[in-house]
DNA sequence: ACCTGAACACCGTTCAAGT
DNA sequence: ACCTGAACACCGTTCAAGT
């Protein structure tokens, strides 16, 4: 019986991500975790990029958002904060999400969660840009916070603050 | 006489970037361009990340922004558009800039250009997040535009549109 | 001061061959 | 159908040794 599958691969990938960071999520390490050769992975997954895409899909799969209240500003703000929190929940998850969204290999649900309560596409795009941009610029501080060290960040405002400016 | 220096390295780096993309900017390729061994580079530059930082510094060095008019909304919008245009001017420059700003290894001038005309830090941070985020999410389309192919983009709005929402 | 050569410890991807 | 073994073509970084 083969316990190895696309879904299991992304599970192990997220595990490696949380434990060692994005740089250490390599095809060889994932294969190792399965006690299998690297080349074996390519039977289950097209390439590394699609594995990363599956990881992002899984990362946001469990997130359940509240139903729309009718006040779109409040709904958008609430959901954006949830998405941001998810990107902070796991080490390097923000960087991973940004890369996957940029290449379009996964994470479509992220946009849908915002689009569902957004009045128009421009607003959706602005929120998405703010999410990815702020997370990216806060990478240093986020990593520092995850460990417990102090660091001078490129961005000084919290996500809430910049979000309040827009919605 | 040695024509090799930190400044020349970043010049060649940007040349390689424009010609072949970020993935092909490797220490070995840069060294090759100088007819020199890889290890020789490490005399002039700490590591690859600092070379990338120097490249971003050089990318925005020549950009001269207009003097403040007094209308900060117009000033911010104009400068943000200039910065965005610079990130579009060279292949993969947006990705490079995002990565360098995230790691804090260069590109401080980018933030300063906005901060100089911004009423407060939160606004500066919001503009920066919008810049980096929109550029990141538009990576597919930007590359497609650079080549001439059609692609379904993750973001459908232009930078001007999302910017207008904020300022 | 500046550069070479060689090594170390990795990468992603492909592909014939096995079961 | 699923996996191995070996190879290909790369990486960034270090360091003794040369000039």
């Amino acid at each position: 019986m083969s316990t190895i599958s696309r879904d299991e691969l992304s599970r192990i990938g997220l595990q490696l991500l949380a434990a060692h960071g994005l740089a250490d999520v390599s095809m060889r390490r994932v294969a190792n975790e399965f006690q299998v050769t690297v080349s074996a992975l390519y039977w289950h997954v097209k390439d590394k990029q699609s594995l990363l895409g599956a990881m992002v899909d899984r990362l946001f799969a469990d997130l359940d958002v509240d139903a729309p209240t009718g006040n779109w500003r409040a709904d958008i703000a609430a959901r954006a904060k949830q998405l941001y929190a998810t990107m902070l929940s796991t080490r390097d998850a923000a960087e991973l999400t940004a890369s996957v969204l940029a290449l379009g290999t996964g994470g479509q649900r992220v946009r849908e969660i915002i689009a569902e309560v957004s009045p128009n596409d421009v607003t959706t795009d602005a929120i998405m840009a703010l999410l990815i941009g702020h997370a990216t610029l806060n990478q240093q501080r986020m990593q520092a916070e995850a460990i417990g060290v102090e660091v001078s960040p490129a961005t000084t405002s919290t996500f809430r603050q910049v979000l309040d400016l827009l919605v």
Side-chain angles (χ1 to χ4, degrees), chain A:
Chain A
M1 56 113 212
S2 145
T3 175
I4 172 178
S5 71
R6 184 190 169 82
D7 216 59
E8 280 297 290
L9 285 181
S10 66
R11 206 179 56 80
I12 294 292
L14 282 181
Q15 215 170 270
L16 277 173
L17 186 76
H20 305 286
L22 188 55
D24 283 17
V25 180
S26 71
M27 297 300 271
R28 284 175 150 88
R29 271 178 192 262
V30 172
N32 237 331
E33 218 70 21
F34 275 102
Q35 305 268 56
V36 112
T37 312
V38 215
S39 46
L41 300 191
Y42 288 86
W43 180 263
H44 302 276
V45 88
K46 188 185 169 288
D47 52 17
K48 190 187 179 181
Q49 208 34 246
S50 95
L51 171 57
L52 296 181
M55 284 167 60
V56 171
D57 286 341
R58 176 181 263 272
L59 182 68
F60 291 97
D62 310 333
L63 198 161
D64 47 8
V65 291
D66 296 328
T69 65
N71 179 353
W72 68 264
R73 291 179 189 276
D75 287 342
I76 279 195
R79 289 180 176 213
K81 283 172 196 167
Q82 277 189 86
L83 293 172
Y84 195 81
T86 302
M87 294 200 295
L88 281 185
S89 66
T90 305
R91 160 125 96 122
D92 287 356
E95 200 183 340
L96 171 69
T97 304
S99 144
V100 163
L101 288 180
L103 295 172
T105 47
Q108 287 83 355
R109 191 166 125 80
V110 179
R111 191 175 206 277
E112 282 160 14
I113 285 173
I114 297 296
E116 204 184 12
V117 292
S118 176
N120 54 62
D121 280 357
V122 180
T123 304
T124 305
D125 289 336
I127 296 288
M128 289 294 293
L130 227 51
L131 259 172
I132 297 302
H134 194 274
T136 298
L137 292 176
N138 249 331
Q139 208 175 289
Q140 296 172 84
R141 182 203 274 169
M142 281 164 25
Q143 278 165 194
E145 273 172 4
I147 313 291
V149 209
E150 293 237 17
V151 141
S152 70
T155 304
T156 54
S157 319
T158 64
F159 180 65
R160 302 179 77 104
Q161 288 177 298
V162 306
L163 186 63
D164 283 344
L165 232 60
L166 195 71
V167 58

